[in-house]
């Protein structure tokens, strides 16, 4: 299986879930010009810790369009169902396209991605509807799909809350201390951005000491 791996909590749980189901996991880690390299370093540590192979894919998005790509834009909190400035245009479409090509080239059976629709910042490419549509694309637009050897797009966390994901990760032995969620790169998480907020809230609601 191909696992899309950033250094965040959700992808880490997804990786360990794929491993627990017996998949030989090959991780794709994307360097797409994001504000900091902390999440890339965390992803590499997670891949090594789990015994998975990994590959770093470097791509350029010179048009930016997101506060995660443009340091002149403020990282603001999501409010009133407005998609926040941290949304990177079509990011998961781009990532999944790379993963689909990789999966078909090495005859992988599945792609795992740790997106979930609850307790999230309102990104359109984290909704179940998006993944239902992409599954159709993967079957109709690849040789594997036309030969009835379609590559599964697996979103095991899609309907789970952050607390449920953290409990699952705890059962799987995910090394949460190795993960990095903060949108800002620093020595310590800021504790204020959306990603930090939902992480702290999730650990509190899961009844597990924050890490």
């Amino acid at each position: 299986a191909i696992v899309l791996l950033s250094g965040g909590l959700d992808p880490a749980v997804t990786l360990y879930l794929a491993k627990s189901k017996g998949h030989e996991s090959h991780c794709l880690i994307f360097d797409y010009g994001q504000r900091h390299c902390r999440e890339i370093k965390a992803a590499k540590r997670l891949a090594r810790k789990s015994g998975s192979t990994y590959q770093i894919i470097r791509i350029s998005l010179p048009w930016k369009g997101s506060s995660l790509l443009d340091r002149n834009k403020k990282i603001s909190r999501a409010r009133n169902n407005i998609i926040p400035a941290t949304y990177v245009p079509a990011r998961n479409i781009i990532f999944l396209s790379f993963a689909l090509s990789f999966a078909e080239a090495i005859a992988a059976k599945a792609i795992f991605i740790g997106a979930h629709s609850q307790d999230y910042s309102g990104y359109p490419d984290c909704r179940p509807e998006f993944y239902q549509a992409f599954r159709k694309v993967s079957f109709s637009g690849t040789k594997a799909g036309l030969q009835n050897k379609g590559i599964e797009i697996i979103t095991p966390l899609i309907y789970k809350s952050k607390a449920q994901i953290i409990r699952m990760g705890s059962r799987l032995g995910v090394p949460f201390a190795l993960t990095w969620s903060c949108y800002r790169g620093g020595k310590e998480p800021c504790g204020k951005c959306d990603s930090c907020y939902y992480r702290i809230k999730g650990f509190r609601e899961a009844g597990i000491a924050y890490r």
Side-chain angles (χ1 to χ4, degrees):
I2 309 302
V3 179
L4 292 175
L5 184 66
S6 72
L9 187 153
D10 303 329
V13 174
T14 301
L15 170 60
Y16 273 72
L17 181 63
K19 299 285 289 187
S20 74
K21 293 184 178 297
H23 290 280
E24 179 185 342
S25 298
H26 302 272
C27 301
L28 280 188
I29 302 169
F30 288 90
D31 179 351
Y32 58 97
Q34 56 268 58
R35 276 180 176 249
H36 59 81
C37 61
R38 285 295 300 265
E39 67 176 58
I40 296 172
K41 292 178 180 178
K44 290 164 65 175
R45 288 195 296 265
L46 286 164
R48 294 189 194 110
K49 182 73 172 178
S50 70
S52 305
T53 62
Y54 69 87
Q55 188 169 348
I56 297 175
I57 306 298
R58 293 179 173 86
I59 58 177
S60 175
L61 301 174
W63 42 83
K64 301 186 186 303
S66 168
S67 60
L68 294 188
L69 299 171
D70 189 345
R71 291 180 178 274
N72 293 320
K73 289 189 174 183
K74 184 179 178 181
I75 295 179
S76 57
R77 289 285 307 277
R79 291 182 177 87
N80 301 323
N81 296 319
I82 297 174
I83 297 171
T86 51
Y87 166 69
V88 178
R91 179 173 60 181
N92 283 348
I93 296 175
I94 295 168
F95 290 177
L96 283 168
S97 296
F98 273 91
L100 188 58
S101 177
F102 184 23
E104 190 169 34
I106 68 170
K109 302 298 184 184
I111 296 167
F112 281 79
I113 182 169
H116 72 100
S117 58
Q118 297 181 24
D119 284 351
Y120 213 72
S121 298
Y123 299 146
D125 52 3
C126 288
R127 297 174 303 146
E129 297 93 326
F130 165 68
Y131 292 98
Q132 291 165 7
F134 198 89
R135 288 183 183 100
K136 293 179 181 179
V137 169
S138 71
F139 273 81
S140 63
T142 61
K143 178 182 176 181
L146 293 178
Q147 294 179 341
N148 294 317
K149 300 175 183 177
I151 299 159
E152 289 187 84
I153 310 295
I154 301 176
T155 55
L157 312 183
I158 196 73
Y159 293 111
K160 296 186 182 298
S161 70
K162 187 69 80 174
Q164 290 173 322
I165 293 168
I166 290 168
R167 291 191 194 103
M168 177 189 290
S170 182
R171 291 193 298 270
L172 292 169
V174 173
F176 289 126
L178 296 182
T179 64
W180 180 268
S181 298
C182 184
Y183 287 145
R184 297 180 172 90
K187 291 184 178 180
E188 299 294 335
C190 73
K192 297 178 180 179
C193 68
D194 275 351
S195 191
C196 281
Y197 170 78
Y198 287 120
R199 181 182 178 120
I200 294 168
K201 180 173 179 283
F203 272 100
R204 183 173 63 247
E205 292 178 351
I208 296 174
Y210 176 69
R211 283 177 279 173

Coordinates of all heavy atoms in Angstrom, one line a residue, residues 138-203:
S138 N -10.0 7.2 -10.2 CA -9.0 6.2 -10.2 C -9.3 4.9 -11.0 O -8.4 4.3 -11.6 CB -8.6 5.8 -8.8 OG -9.6 5.0 -8.2
F139 N -10.6 4.6 -11.0 CA -11.0 3.4 -11.7 C -11.1 3.7 -13.2 O -10.8 2.8 -14.1 CB -12.3 2.8 -11.2 CG -12.1 1.9 -10.0 CD1 -11.8 2.4 -8.7 CD2 -12.1 0.5 -10.2 CE1 -11.6 1.5 -7.7 CE2 -11.9 -0.4 -9.1 CZ -11.6 0.1 -7.8
S140 N -11.6 4.8 -13.6 CA -11.8 5.1 -15.0 C -10.6 5.7 -15.7 O -10.6 5.7 -17.0 CB -13.0 6.1 -15.1 OG -12.7 7.4 -14.5
G141 N -9.6 6.2 -15.0 CA -8.5 6.9 -15.6 C -7.2 6.2 -15.5 O -6.1 6.8 -15.8
T142 N -7.2 4.9 -15.1 CA -5.9 4.1 -15.0 C -6.0 2.8 -15.8 O -7.1 2.2 -15.9 CB -5.6 3.8 -13.6 OG1 -6.6 3.0 -13.0 CG2 -5.4 5.1 -12.8
K143 N -4.9 2.3 -16.2 CA -4.9 1.0 -16.8 C -5.3 -0.1 -15.8 O -6.1 -1.0 -16.2 CB -3.4 0.7 -17.3 CG -3.2 -0.7 -17.9 CD -1.8 -0.9 -18.3 CE -1.5 -2.3 -18.8 NZ -0.1 -2.5 -19.2
A144 N -4.9 0.0 -14.6 CA -5.3 -0.9 -13.5 C -6.8 -1.0 -13.4 O -7.4 -2.0 -13.3 CB -4.7 -0.6 -12.2
G145 N -7.5 0.2 -13.4 CA -8.9 0.2 -13.3 C -9.6 -0.4 -14.5 O -10.6 -1.1 -14.3
L146 N -9.1 -0.1 -15.7 CA -9.8 -0.7 -16.9 C -9.6 -2.2 -17.0 O -10.4 -2.9 -17.6 CB -9.1 -0.1 -18.1 CG -9.5 1.4 -18.4 CD1 -8.8 1.9 -19.6 CD2 -11.0 1.6 -18.4
Q147 N -8.5 -2.7 -16.3 CA -8.3 -4.2 -16.2 C -8.9 -4.8 -15.0 O -8.6 -5.9 -14.6 CB -6.8 -4.5 -16.3 CG -6.1 -4.1 -17.6 CD -4.6 -4.3 -17.6 OE1 -4.0 -4.5 -16.5 NE2 -4.1 -4.4 -18.8
N148 N -9.8 -4.1 -14.3 CA -10.5 -4.5 -13.1 C -9.5 -4.9 -12.0 O -9.7 -5.8 -11.2 CB -11.4 -5.8 -13.4 CG -12.6 -5.4 -14.3 OD1 -13.2 -4.4 -14.1 ND2 -12.8 -6.2 -15.3
K149 N -8.4 -4.2 -12.0 CA -7.4 -4.3 -10.9 C -7.3 -3.0 -10.2 O -6.2 -2.5 -9.8 CB -6.1 -4.7 -11.5 CG -6.1 -6.1 -12.2 CD -4.7 -6.4 -12.8 CE -4.8 -7.7 -13.6 NZ -3.5 -7.9 -14.3
G150 N -8.5 -2.3 -10.0 CA -8.5 -1.0 -9.5 C -7.8 -0.8 -8.1 O -7.8 -1.7 -7.3
I151 N -7.2 0.3 -7.9 CA -6.4 0.6 -6.7 C -7.4 1.3 -5.7 O -8.0 2.3 -6.0 CB -5.2 1.6 -7.0 CG1 -4.3 0.9 -8.0 CG2 -4.5 2.0 -5.7 CD1 -3.4 1.8 -8.8
E152 N -7.5 0.7 -4.5 CA -8.4 1.2 -3.5 C -7.9 2.6 -3.0 O -6.7 2.7 -2.7 CB -8.6 0.3 -2.4 CG -9.4 -1.0 -2.7 CD -9.7 -1.8 -1.5 OE1 -10.6 -1.5 -0.8 OE2 -8.9 -2.7 -1.2
I153 N -8.8 3.5 -2.8 CA -8.5 4.7 -2.0 C -9.1 4.6 -0.7 O -10.4 4.6 -0.5 CB -9.0 6.0 -2.7 CG1 -8.7 6.0 -4.2 CG2 -8.6 7.2 -2.0 CD1 -7.2 6.1 -4.5
I154 N -8.3 4.4 0.4 CA -8.8 4.0 1.7 C -8.7 5.2 2.6 O -7.6 5.8 2.8 CB -8.1 2.8 2.3 CG1 -8.3 1.6 1.3 CG2 -8.6 2.5 3.7 CD1 -7.5 0.4 1.7
T155 N -9.8 5.7 3.2 CA -9.9 6.8 4.1 C -10.4 6.3 5.5 O -11.6 6.6 5.8 CB -10.7 7.9 3.6 OG1 -12.0 7.4 3.3 CG2 -10.1 8.5 2.3
P156 N -9.6 5.6 6.3 CA -10.1 4.9 7.5 C -10.6 5.9 8.6 O -11.3 5.5 9.5 CB -8.9 4.1 7.9 CG -7.7 4.8 7.4 CD -8.2 5.4 6.1
L157 N -10.2 7.1 8.5 CA -10.5 8.1 9.6 C -11.6 9.1 9.2 O -12.0 9.9 10.0 CB -9.3 8.9 10.0 CG -8.0 8.2 10.2 CD1 -6.9 9.1 10.6 CD2 -8.2 7.1 11.2
I158 N -12.2 8.9 8.0 CA -13.0 10.0 7.4 C -14.2 10.4 8.3 O -14.6 11.6 8.3 CB -13.5 9.5 6.0 CG1 -14.0 10.7 5.2 CG2 -14.5 8.4 6.0 CD1 -13.0 11.7 4.7
Y159 N -14.8 9.5 9.0 CA -16.0 9.8 9.8 C -15.7 9.9 11.3 O -16.6 10.0 12.1 CB -17.1 8.8 9.6 CG -17.7 8.9 8.2 CD1 -17.5 7.8 7.3 CD2 -18.4 10.0 7.7 CE1 -18.0 7.9 6.0 CE2 -19.0 10.1 6.5 CZ -18.7 9.0 5.6 OH -19.3 9.1 4.3
K160 N -14.4 9.8 11.7 CA -14.0 9.8 13.1 C -13.7 11.2 13.6 O -13.2 12.0 12.9 CB -12.9 8.8 13.3 CG -13.1 7.4 13.0 CD -12.0 6.5 13.3 CE -12.3 5.1 12.9 NZ -13.4 4.5 13.7
S161 N -14.0 11.4 14.9 CA -13.6 12.6 15.5 C -12.1 12.5 15.9 O -11.5 11.4 15.9 CB -14.4 12.8 16.8 OG -14.0 11.9 17.8
K162 N -11.5 13.6 16.2 CA -10.1 13.6 16.6 C -9.9 12.8 17.9 O -8.9 12.0 18.0 CB -9.6 15.1 16.9 CG -8.1 15.2 17.1 CD -7.3 14.9 15.9 CE -7.3 16.1 15.0 NZ -6.4 16.0 13.8
A163 N -10.8 12.8 18.8 CA -10.7 12.0 20.0 C -10.7 10.5 19.7 O -9.9 9.7 20.2 CB -11.8 12.3 21.0
Q164 N -11.6 10.1 18.7 CA -11.6 8.7 18.3 C -10.3 8.3 17.6 O -9.8 7.2 17.8 CB -12.8 8.5 17.4 CG -14.2 8.6 18.1 CD -15.3 8.5 17.1 OE1 -15.3 9.1 16.0 NE2 -16.4 7.8 17.5
I165 N -9.8 9.2 16.8 CA -8.5 8.9 16.1 C -7.4 8.7 17.1 O -6.6 7.8 17.0 CB -8.2 10.0 15.1 CG1 -9.2 10.1 14.0 CG2 -6.8 9.9 14.6 CD1 -9.2 11.3 13.2
I166 N -7.4 9.6 18.1 CA -6.3 9.5 19.2 C -6.4 8.2 19.9 O -5.4 7.5 20.2 CB -6.3 10.7 20.1 CG1 -5.9 11.9 19.3 CG2 -5.5 10.5 21.3 CD1 -6.1 13.3 20.0
R167 N -7.6 7.8 20.3 CA -7.8 6.5 21.0 C -7.4 5.3 20.1 O -6.7 4.4 20.6 CB -9.3 6.3 21.4 CG -9.8 7.3 22.5 CD -11.1 6.9 23.0 NE -11.8 7.9 23.8 CZ -12.7 8.7 23.3 NH1 -13.2 8.5 22.1 NH2 -13.2 9.7 24.1
M168 N -7.7 5.4 18.8 CA -7.3 4.3 17.9 C -5.7 4.3 17.8 O -5.1 3.2 17.9 CB -7.8 4.6 16.5 CG -7.4 3.6 15.5 SD -7.8 4.0 13.8 CE -9.6 3.8 13.8
G169 N -5.1 5.5 17.7 CA -3.7 5.5 17.7 C -3.0 5.0 18.9 O -2.0 4.3 18.9
S170 N -3.6 5.3 20.1 CA -3.1 4.8 21.3 C -3.1 3.2 21.3 O -2.2 2.6 21.8 CB -3.9 5.3 22.5 OG -3.4 4.9 23.7
R171 N -4.2 2.6 20.9 CA -4.3 1.2 20.8 C -3.3 0.6 19.8 O -2.8 -0.5 20.1 CB -5.7 0.8 20.4 CG -6.8 1.0 21.4 CD -8.1 0.3 21.1 NE -8.7 0.8 19.8 CZ -9.5 1.8 19.6 NH1 -9.9 2.5 20.7 NH2 -10.0 2.1 18.4
L172 N -3.0 1.3 18.8 CA -2.0 0.8 17.8 C -0.6 1.1 18.1 O 0.3 0.6 17.4 CB -2.3 1.5 16.4 CG -3.7 1.1 15.7 CD1 -3.9 2.0 14.6 CD2 -3.6 -0.3 15.3
G173 N -0.4 1.8 19.2 CA 1.0 2.1 19.6 C 1.7 3.2 18.8 O 2.9 3.2 18.7
V174 N 0.9 4.1 18.3 CA 1.4 5.2 17.5 C 2.3 6.1 18.4 O 1.9 6.5 19.5 CB 0.3 6.1 16.9 CG1 0.9 7.3 16.2 CG2 -0.5 5.3 15.9
P175 N 3.5 6.4 18.0 CA 4.4 7.3 18.8 C 4.0 8.8 18.6 O 4.7 9.5 17.9 CB 5.8 7.0 18.3 CG 5.6 6.6 16.8 CD 4.2 5.9 16.8
F176 N 3.0 9.2 19.3 CA 2.5 10.5 19.2 C 3.5 11.6 19.4 O 3.5 12.7 18.8 CB 1.3 10.8 20.1 CG 0.0 10.0 19.8 CD1 -0.6 9.2 20.7 CD2 -0.5 10.2 18.5 CE1 -1.7 8.6 20.4 CE2 -1.7 9.5 18.2 CZ -2.3 8.7 19.2
A177 N 4.5 11.3 20.3 CA 5.5 12.3 20.6 C 6.4 12.6 19.3 O 7.0 13.7 19.3 CB 6.4 11.8 21.7
L178 N 6.4 11.8 18.3 CA 7.2 12.0 17.1 C 6.4 12.9 16.1 O 7.0 13.3 15.1 CB 7.6 10.7 16.5 CG 8.5 9.8 17.3 CD1 8.8 8.5 16.4 CD2 9.8 10.5 17.7
T179 N 5.1 13.0 16.3 CA 4.3 13.7 15.3 C 4.4 15.3 15.5 O 4.7 15.7 16.6 CB 2.8 13.3 15.4 OG1 2.3 13.7 16.7 CG2 2.7 11.8 15.2
W180 N 4.1 16.0 14.5 CA 4.1 17.4 14.5 C 2.8 17.9 13.8 O 2.6 17.7 12.6 CB 5.3 18.0 13.8 CG 5.3 19.5 13.9 CD1 4.9 20.4 12.9 CD2 5.9 20.3 14.9 NE1 5.1 21.7 13.3 CE2 5.7 21.7 14.5 CE3 6.5 20.1 16.1 CZ2 6.1 22.7 15.3 CZ3 6.9 21.1 16.9 CH2 6.7 22.4 16.5
S181 N 2.0 18.7 14.5 CA 0.7 19.2 13.9 C 0.7 20.7 13.7 O -0.1 21.1 12.8 CB -0.4 18.9 14.9 OG -0.6 17.5 15.1
C182 N 1.5 21.4 14.3 CA 1.4 22.9 14.3 C 1.7 23.5 12.9 O 2.7 23.0 12.2 CB 2.4 23.5 15.3 SG 2.3 25.3 15.4
Y183 N 0.9 24.4 12.5 CA 1.1 25.1 11.2 C 2.3 25.9 11.2 O 2.9 26.2 10.1 CB -0.1 25.9 10.8 CG -1.3 25.1 10.4 CD1 -2.6 25.6 10.8 CD2 -1.3 24.0 9.7 CE1 -3.8 24.9 10.4 CE2 -2.4 23.3 9.3 CZ -3.7 23.7 9.7 OH -4.8 23.1 9.3
R184 N 2.8 26.4 12.3 CA 3.9 27.2 12.4 C 5.2 26.4 12.8 O 5.1 25.5 13.6 CB 3.7 28.3 13.5 CG 2.6 29.3 13.1 CD 2.5 30.3 14.2 NE 1.5 31.4 13.9 CZ 0.2 31.3 14.1 NH1 -0.3 30.3 14.8 NH2 -0.6 32.3 13.7
G185 N 6.2 26.7 12.2 CA 7.5 25.9 12.5 C 8.2 26.6 13.6 O 8.5 27.8 13.5
G186 N 8.5 25.9 14.7 CA 9.2 26.5 15.8 C 9.7 25.4 16.7 O 9.6 24.2 16.3
K187 N 10.3 25.7 17.8 CA 10.8 24.7 18.7 C 9.7 24.0 19.4 O 9.8 22.8 19.7 CB 11.7 25.3 19.7 CG 13.1 25.9 19.1 CD 14.0 26.4 20.2 CE 15.3 26.9 19.6 NZ 16.2 27.4 20.7
E188 N 8.6 24.7 19.6 CA 7.4 24.1 20.3 C 6.2 24.5 19.5 O 6.1 25.6 18.9 CB 7.3 24.7 21.7 CG 8.5 24.3 22.6 CD 8.6 22.8 22.9 OE1 7.6 22.1 22.8 OE2 9.7 22.4 23.2
P189 N 5.1 23.7 19.5 CA 3.9 24.0 18.9 C 3.3 25.3 19.4 O 3.4 25.6 20.6 CB 3.0 22.9 19.2 CG 3.9 21.7 19.5 CD 5.1 22.4 20.2
C190 N 2.6 26.1 18.6 CA 2.1 27.4 19.0 C 0.9 27.3 20.0 O 0.7 28.2 20.8 CB 1.7 28.3 17.8 SG 0.2 27.8 16.9
G191 N 0.2 26.2 19.8 CA -1.0 26.0 20.7 C -2.2 26.8 20.3 O -3.3 26.8 20.9
K192 N -2.1 27.6 19.2 CA -3.2 28.5 18.8 C -3.8 28.3 17.5 O -4.9 28.7 17.2 CB -2.7 30.0 18.9 CG -2.2 30.4 20.3 CD -1.7 31.8 20.3 CE -1.2 32.2 21.7 NZ -0.7 33.6 21.7
C193 N -3.0 27.8 16.5 CA -3.5 27.6 15.2 C -4.6 26.5 15.2 O -4.7 25.7 16.2 CB -2.4 27.2 14.2 SG -1.6 25.6 14.5
D194 N -5.4 26.3 14.1 CA -6.4 25.3 14.1 C -5.9 23.9 14.4 O -6.5 23.1 15.1 CB -7.1 25.3 12.7 CG -8.2 26.3 12.6 OD1 -8.6 26.9 13.6 OD2 -8.7 26.5 11.4
S195 N -4.8 23.6 13.8 CA -4.3 22.2 13.9 C -3.9 21.9 15.4 O -4.2 20.9 15.9 CB -3.0 22.0 13.0 OG -2.7 20.7 12.9
C196 N -3.2 22.9 16.0 CA -2.9 22.8 17.5 C -4.2 22.7 18.3 O -4.3 21.9 19.2 CB -2.1 23.9 18.0 SG -0.3 23.8 17.5
Y197 N -5.1 23.5 18.0 CA -6.4 23.6 18.8 C -7.1 22.2 18.7 O -7.5 21.7 19.8 CB -7.3 24.7 18.2 CG -8.7 24.6 18.7 CD1 -9.0 25.2 20.0 CD2 -9.8 24.0 18.0 CE1 -10.3 25.1 20.5 CE2 -11.0 24.0 18.5 CZ -11.3 24.5 19.8 OH -12.6 24.5 20.3
Y198 N -7.3 21.6 17.5 CA -8.0 20.4 17.5 C -7.2 19.2 18.1 O -7.7 18.3 18.6 CB -8.3 20.1 16.0 CG -9.5 20.9 15.5 CD1 -9.3 21.8 14.4 CD2 -10.7 20.9 16.1 CE1 -10.3 22.6 13.9 CE2 -11.7 21.7 15.7 CZ -11.5 22.6 14.6 OH -12.5 23.4 14.1
R199 N -5.9 19.3 18.0 CA -5.0 18.3 18.6 C -5.2 18.3 20.1 O -5.5 17.3 20.8 CB -3.6 18.5 18.2 CG -2.6 17.4 18.8 CD -1.2 17.7 18.5 NE -0.2 16.8 19.1 CZ 0.6 16.0 18.4 NH1 0.6 16.0 17.1 NH2 1.4 15.2 19.0
I200 N -5.1 19.5 20.7 CA -5.2 19.6 22.2 C -6.6 19.2 22.6 O -6.8 18.4 23.6 CB -5.0 21.1 22.6 CG1 -3.5 21.4 22.4 CG2 -5.3 21.3 24.1 CD1 -3.2 22.9 22.5
K201 N -7.6 19.6 21.9 CA -9.0 19.3 22.2 C -9.2 17.8 22.1 O -9.9 17.2 22.9 CB -9.9 20.0 21.2 CG -11.4 19.8 21.4 CD -12.2 20.7 20.4 CE -13.7 20.5 20.5 NZ -14.1 19.3 19.7
G202 N -8.6 17.2 21.1 CA -8.8 15.7 20.9 C -8.2 14.9 22.0 O -8.8 14.0 22.5
F203 N -7.0 15.3 22.4 CA -6.4 14.5 23.5 C -7.2 14.7 24.8 O -7.4 13.7 25.6 CB -5.0 15.0 23.8 CG -3.9 14.3 23.0 CD1 -3.4 14.9 21.8 CD2 -3.5 13.0 23.3 CE1 -2.5 14.2 21.0 CE2 -2.5 12.4 22.6 CZ -2.0 13.0 21.4

